[in-house]
Amino acid sequence: MARIARSVALAALSLFAATSAQAQSLQALYDAARAYDATYLAARALADSAQYKAAQADALLLPNLGLSGNVGSNYVDLPVGASRSSRSAGAGLSGKQPLFNRANGFTVDQAKKVFEVSRTDLETAEQDLIVRVAQAYFDVLGAQDTLGTTRASKAAISEQLASAKRNFEVGTATITDTREAQARFDLASAQEIAADNDLQSKRIALDQLVGRSGVLPKQLAVPVVLPAVVPANVDTWVGNSGAQHPAVRRAALGLDIAKLETEKARAAGLPTVDAVASVNTSRLSGTSSSGLPGTTNSASIGLQLAMPLYSGGSVQNRVKETMVLEDKSTNDLEAARRIVAQATRQAYFGVQSGTAQVKALEAAESSSQLALEATQLGYRVGVRVNLDVLNAQTQLFTTKRDLAKARYDVLLGGLKLRQAAGQLSPDDVSAVDKLLVK
């Protein structure tokens, strides 16, 4: 029994020892993903461009200046008298300053709201990146644990197979025990191959996400202490999500934009007033019937009024259209709140269930270990058969694998809960990172 225990321990720790060297934390890999992941970088570039689009709208309230110039030559061949030719050149500077234009004012307000929408989209992309990195990180850890427990199980079965062969040789056991142990060993070999392939796939996915090769995540620190869900009330989580979630805030901004669009449509029927001014100079040389040679300067300043009188009903129909679209935005906001509330509740109860499952599996691990030891003792004294030992070993290693996965699922579920409630931030990555080995 001591030899089996040593073999199991060595097999279980071999993978951990191989991955402990130069292992990387969740925080380090998240920082790397922020600088590499194309999906996140695209979202950040789009958010950065929004400020310049807002500045374009601000230009509607600022003065416009224009410079113009012209040169020309004129030749007239008269039937009687001498022909005439002249050359002209001129330049002008004109400017316009909007004084009253309600539609432009609403356009500027809309641009500010659109800029806020871009920030919520970036926040959504950041939260999505955190979850994707954590998912890939714990997928690798889970695959490592699966491979470790598979190898440990194979080592234990190998010891049991050797014992069965020795007992058969001395005549204390039948060939059946050897055949059963050999079948379990062959199955464990196949499972080891599958687990190793799955680990390689998970590592490739994590490497691709963070832009590094050969990434080795850190294991959870022992003893594993999972953080409690705070606050421990689902209604509090749902209540906070209604105001904090980026999707809800985006929908609320969409409603504000729709209301401004309605006001802008109404403003299309209002007059506009602009201050206009111009300065011009022209020079004429040669002989011309249209003016005297020389330089002419002129300047003007005034107010320009534009009042729409009839547009074929387009303004009225545009107002009706925007009012209907405003109702759509109202319903979109309500739908966003309901979706977020549902997702938050599901995430909360998922974490609660996962935490309870971890506690149950911890108890099952302890009892499975005791059951295996009792079965091994019974096998040595002849009251249990080889198959009983193999079954007890399989139960123990299956429980260990399920327990490790359940712990990772709880940690990942906690991040997804905060994402569902719109509260996920890089600080949460640091909190999970503290649970890993130093």
Side-chain angles (χ1 to χ4, degrees):
M1 178 177 176
R3 187 168 58 254
I4 294 176
R6 286 194 298 270
S7 300
V8 172
L10 289 174
L13 292 176
S14 61
L15 185 63
F16 175 75
T19 57
S20 294
Q22 300 180 346
Q24 294 166 297
S25 66
L26 178 62
Q27 182 68 56
L29 295 182
Y30 169 66
D31 293 337
R34 278 176 59 90
Y36 180 79
D37 182 64
T39 301
Y40 171 73
L41 293 177
R44 190 169 69 184
L46 183 61
D48 291 342
S49 69
Q51 59 182 318
Y52 304 110
K53 189 170 184 178
Q56 295 175 40
D58 292 337
L60 295 174
L61 305 180
L62 300 177
N64 293 322
L65 294 176
L67 178 66
S68 62
N70 64 83
V71 294
S73 178
N74 186 38
Y75 178 81
V76 179
D77 188 6
L78 300 173
V80 178
S83 59
R84 298 177 180 180
S85 63
S86 63
R87 292 182 297 278
S88 63
L93 180 66
S94 61
K96 182 173 70 172
Q97 169 65 58
L99 298 179
F100 180 81
N101 191 320
R102 294 295 300 277
N104 285 352
F106 292 126
T107 299
V108 172
D109 293 338
Q110 282 181 316
K112 294 178 181 178
K113 296 293 184 181
V114 171
F115 175 75
E116 294 180 35
V117 168
S118 70
R119 307 316 298 178
T120 63
D121 290 341
L122 179 59
E123 186 177 340
T124 299
E126 289 176 341
Q127 293 186 1
D128 178 69
L129 179 63
I130 292 174
V131 171
R132 287 191 290 122
V133 171
Q135 179 76 67
Y137 192 92
F138 290 126
D139 280 349
V140 172
L141 287 180
Q144 286 180 179
D145 289 337
T146 298
L147 180 57
T149 54
T150 301
R151 287 176 175 174
S153 177
K154 180 181 176 182
I157 294 173
S158 177
E159 291 289 338
Q160 196 65 27
L161 174 59
S163 175
K165 288 180 178 179
R166 287 193 301 268
N167 291 339
F168 175 72
E169 290 174 356
V170 298
T172 59
T174 65
I175 192 62
T176 303
D177 290 344
T178 303
R179 296 288 185 262
E180 290 173 344
Q182 185 66 53
R184 290 295 181 94
F185 182 82
D186 294 339
L187 178 59
S189 298
Q191 292 173 340
E192 181 184 10
I193 294 172
D196 184 67
N197 179 70
D198 183 61
L199 175 58
Q200 296 303 321
S201 298
K202 295 296 194 300
R203 282 178 171 169
I204 290 172
L206 181 58
D207 290 350
Q208 176 66 30
L209 182 58
V210 302
R212 298 181 182 180
S213 59
V215 174
L216 300 176
K218 290 185 177 181
Q219 296 279 347
L220 287 176
V222 178
V224 179
V225 180
L226 299 179
V229 177
V230 179
N233 186 298
V234 66
D235 293 330
T236 303
W237 282 96
V238 173
N240 293 335
S241 67
Q244 298 180 3
H245 199 283
V248 176
R249 287 188 281 120
R250 192 184 198 283
L253 289 169
L255 177 58
D256 293 339
I257 293 172
K259 291 179 178 179
L260 289 171
E261 187 66 25
T262 300
E263 296 300 325
K264 186 169 70 173
R266 292 193 177 102
L270 299 177
T272 60
V273 179
D274 300 314
V276 294
S278 63
V279 177
N280 298 283
T281 182
S282 62
R283 179 176 178 79
L284 180 66
S285 62
T287 58
S288 173
S289 60
S290 60
L292 299 176
T295 300
T296 302
N297 296 319
S298 64
S300 65
I301 186 171
L303 297 176
Q304 181 176 295
L305 172 68
M307 178 65 185
L309 298 179
Y310 180 70
S311 58
S314 63
V315 173
Q316 292 81 0
N317 287 306
R318 176 57 182 162
V319 171
K320 293 178 181 179
E321 178 190 5
T322 57
M323 292 181 68
V324 175
L325 293 176
E326 188 177 325
D327 291 339
K328 174 186 177 298
S329 297
T330 300
N331 290 318
D332 287 342
L333 174 58
E334 182 61 27
R337 286 172 175 162
R338 294 175 183 177
I339 292 173
V340 167
Q342 178 183 352
T344 302
R345 291 182 184 276
Q346 290 175 337
Y348 177 85
F349 290 119
V351 174
Q352 294 291 82
S353 174
T355 302
Q357 186 179 14
V358 167
K359 294 180 180 179
L361 286 171
E362 288 174 344
E365 181 186 30
S366 178
S367 59
S368 295
Q369 181 67 48
L370 294 175
L372 174 59
E373 295 172 357
T375 303
Q376 288 172 333
L377 178 60
Y379 176 71
R380 287 196 301 271
V381 300
V383 297
R384 289 298 184 96
V385 297
N386 189 56
L387 181 60
D388 295 331
V389 177
L390 295 174
N391 288 337
Q393 289 173 344
T394 300
Q395 178 178 324
L396 174 60
F397 291 116
T398 299
T399 303
K400 287 180 176 293
R401 180 199 63 197
D402 293 345
L403 174 58
K405 183 179 184 303
R407 285 169 173 164
Y408 299 140
D409 288 344
V410 168
L411 292 176
L412 183 61
L415 295 177
K416 290 184 176 181
L417 171 59
R418 299 190 68 82
Q419 180 190 31
Q423 302 176 19
L424 187 61
S425 69
D427 292 338
D428 298 309
V429 177
S430 300
V432 174
D433 205 57
K434 294 177 181 177
L435 302 175
L436 306 176
V437 295
K438 305 301 181 185

